Amino acid sequence: MSNIDSYRRNFLTGIGAVSTMAAAVTIAPGVFLREVQAKPAEKAVSSKVRWGMLVDVNKLKDGGDACIEACKKEHGWGDEEHSNNKQDAQWIRKVTVKEKLTGHEFSLPVMCQHCDTAPCVDVCPTGASMKRADGIVQVNKHVCIGCRYCMMACPYKARSFIHETLTDQKPGTPRGKGTVESCNMCVNRVDAGLNPACVDAAPEAMLFGDLNDPESKISKALKEFGGTQIRADLGLNTGIRYQGI
Amino acid sequence: MFRQLSKKTYFISLVLFLALGISSCNSEQPKLMKAVTQFDSDQERDAHIALMRYDHKDLLRHKRDDTMLRGIRTKDNSLKACISCHVPKEHNGKILRHTDPEHFCATCHNYVAAQPDCFKCHVDHPVDDDKAGVASTLSNKELDALHASVVTSSDKLVDNKSSINTSTQEKQ
């Protein structure tokens, strides 16, 4: 087959694919209506869903302390015996901000922002720092070599490194010395149809749902009231949005 | 004559030495701990043993990738399920760890001197689910109601603003 022929064939196949997709939209529009629910265990995650979180900072009673405690309890971090302050695991941190002009002060929980174009995924030399099809950014510790490039790359300082041998980890959250870790949006709970632990710890201030579904609570809230990204100037399209910052 | 004799004794002593050496080797396979739950039939059990004896490492690797990358979490893909069946919650009143020779995985891995890395991150004994994660005190319905109230009407924005005002006033 000449180059021109193969070009024509590819072009025509492309047209065919586009027209079938269009047909699918017109014939069965209901197919694209989605609800946030647990996926069957044997089914792979799909890019039709993009998980996200909305944090209303004004409604957080304690600036996120309850979220941090719930995260520690869920994933079993925070009681590392031999690590110093600079080495401690920090899946989620309470950041207090003060506006100098007015003196207005508030706190917000900052964790992995689950970027759409995540810098940590870009720089990882082994592919351990990964984004799942449903938008959850996490570390595949099976292939993590502990080089910590992702920690350098993350503009949110969301990642930490495990410096010591651990035992008795939580079954849903394997953690081990020599690997990097961060918030994984409670991927084990999300796959089971539950909210992330922090969202359930501050239900009055946090919302979890599918950003791709215009009918989900989170999408409706974002559409009506908007949500701010931290460091929106970086254009990372984060999955975690805030109100009141 | 002397040379021949010495050759004979050398040969006999070599044979004796080898025989002793072989007899001192223990060729018995290590005895594995019985699984907590048993298969319904012996056929199923034997098929499971035959498969796992040779392929468990490949299956573990393949299925860990399915779970990590694609979020597939069936019981077949679960290391937790392997552990909960093969490792008892307690053994002689103590938690059985992978460093103990009786641990299901350790028994063979010690025998062949191959170190599995799984338990550097994964927990090596069964843990009750309620202790493992966050057990919320609220029911799902109550949680749903609270989540629904995060942003439901535009009044909320006014509330927020007034709360900011009060908080700044308090500080002043």
Side-chain angles (χ1 to χ4, degrees):
Chain A
M1 195 191 295
S2 73
N3 281 342
I4 292 173
D5 280 351
S6 73
Y7 168 75
R8 279 184 187 149
R9 177 167 288 181
N10 287 341
F11 180 66
L12 289 172
T13 338
I15 289 178
V18 168
S19 56
T20 15
M21 273 170 68
V25 172
T26 44
I27 290 167
V31 169
F32 296 98
L33 287 174
R34 291 177 297 269
E35 287 291 324
V36 180
Q37 57 193 12
K39 67 167 187 59
E42 71 280 1
K43 212 178 152 202
V45 291
S46 127
S47 56
K48 283 179 183 168
V49 176
R50 187 184 177 206
W51 296 120
M53 249 190 244
L54 177 63
V55 186
D56 190 337
V57 172
N58 291 324
K59 284 189 197 145
L60 275 176
K61 290 166 193 157
D62 49 10
D65 285 334
C67 305
I68 296 169
E69 281 313 306
C71 184
K72 282 181 179 175
K73 202 177 160 197
E74 173 68 29
H75 299 291
W77 60 272
D79 51 359
E80 291 78 20
E81 284 173 27
H82 305 290
S83 298
N84 63 33
N85 289 344
K86 286 183 181 171
Q87 298 169 332
D88 275 344
Q90 284 189 335
W91 285 46
I92 175 169
R93 284 174 293 136
K94 182 179 174 179
V95 174
T96 306
V97 188
K98 189 176 184 180
E99 195 183 358
K100 281 183 182 169
L101 195 65
T102 55
H104 174 53
E105 195 176 286
F106 62 92
S107 299
L108 67 158
V110 177
M111 63 296 242
C112 170
Q113 301 289 303
H114 299 277
C115 312
D116 190 22
T117 48
C120 58
V121 177
D122 276 353
V123 299
C124 181
T126 64
S129 185
M130 54 164 283
K131 190 177 75 142
R132 266 186 9 164
D134 57 2
I136 294 180
V137 176
Q138 57 177 351
V139 181
N140 181 356
K141 292 186 170 75
H142 301 120
V143 285
C144 177
I145 56 171
C147 72
R148 289 167 264 184
Y149 277 147
C150 56
M151 288 172 69
M152 302 264 192
C154 177
Y156 303 102
K157 214 178 171 183
R159 290 225 158 139
S160 43
F161 181 77
I162 306 172
H163 287 262
E164 62 185 84
T165 309
L166 302 173
T167 51
D168 289 341
Q169 296 90 334
K170 302 285 177 190
T173 312
R175 307 170 61 224
K177 183 181 177 178
T179 57
V180 174
E181 60 180 358
S182 65
C183 157
N184 57 9
M185 227 190 238
C186 288
V187 71
N188 51 325
R189 289 171 64 94
V190 171
D191 283 347
L194 294 167
N195 282 324
C198 57
V199 177
D200 275 357
E204 69 287 337
M206 289 171 83
L207 207 53
F208 170 79
D210 181 6
L211 297 174
N212 280 354
D213 177 6
E215 296 304 311
S216 67
K217 281 177 199 164
I218 186 166
S219 295
K220 282 180 177 170
L222 283 169
K223 191 181 176 190
E224 198 170 350
F225 306 112
T228 317
Q229 303 178 51
I230 307 181
R231 288 302 305 274
D233 56 314
L234 297 171
L236 299 172
N237 186 9
T238 60
I240 314 285
R241 305 292 173 105
Y242 294 86
Q243 280 177 350
I245 61 169
Chain B
M1 176 73 190
F2 179 72
R3 196 173 279 175
Q4 266 188 341
L5 194 71
S6 69
K7 263 190 182 174
K8 265 185 190 172
T9 40
Y10 174 73
F11 181 72
I12 289 165
S13 60
L14 186 73
V15 169
L16 275 173
F17 177 75
L18 283 174
L20 268 172
I22 291 165
S23 68
S24 66
C25 283
N26 184 7
S27 58
E28 271 183 43
Q29 286 186 357
K31 280 197 174 169
L32 285 166
M33 187 175 267
K34 212 174 177 184
V36 177
T37 44
Q38 292 287 317
F39 281 105
D40 294 338
S41 70
D42 287 357
Q43 279 179 328
E44 280 178 82
R45 184 200 61 201
D46 293 346
H48 180 71
I49 292 173
L51 176 71
M52 285 299 167
R53 186 166 285 165
Y54 293 101
D55 291 339
H56 70 277
K57 51 204 178 293
D58 299 322
L59 289 170
L60 281 169
R61 179 167 294 178
H62 171 68
K63 287 174 175 176
R64 77 171 197 202
D65 289 343
D66 273 354
T67 304
M68 261 325 288
L69 310 178
R70 302 170 64 214
I72 295 171
R73 291 177 188 270
T74 58
K75 211 178 167 190
D76 280 354
N77 288 57
S78 167
L79 180 67
K80 201 165 105 182
C82 303
I83 294 296
S84 66
C85 193
H86 280 293
V87 184
K89 281 185 180 169
E90 279 189 352
H91 182 65
N92 297 336
K94 280 201 306 189
I95 291 172
L96 196 58
R97 296 182 187 279
H98 71 283
T99 43
D100 300 327
E102 298 95 347
H103 189 278
F104 183 82
C105 305
T107 311
C108 286
H109 276 270
N110 286 350
Y111 179 71
V112 296
Q115 193 184 26
D117 284 338
C118 310
F119 303 117
K120 288 182 177 170
C121 289
H122 289 273
V123 67
D124 51 8
H125 58 274
V127 180
D128 288 340
D129 272 345
D130 56 325
K131 283 180 194 166
V134 173
S136 179
T137 47
L138 299 167
S139 72
N140 281 345
K141 267 191 179 175
E142 287 170 315
L143 281 172
D144 272 352
L146 279 164
H147 287 307
S149 74
V150 173
V151 181
T152 44
S153 70
S154 54
D155 299 342
K156 291 287 189 291
L157 281 186
V158 181
D159 283 352
N160 293 343
K161 278 175 189 160
S162 60
S163 71
I164 290 171
N165 291 338
T166 47
S167 60
T168 41
Q169 277 161 11
E170 275 165 20
K171 270 167 205 157
Q172 285 161 357

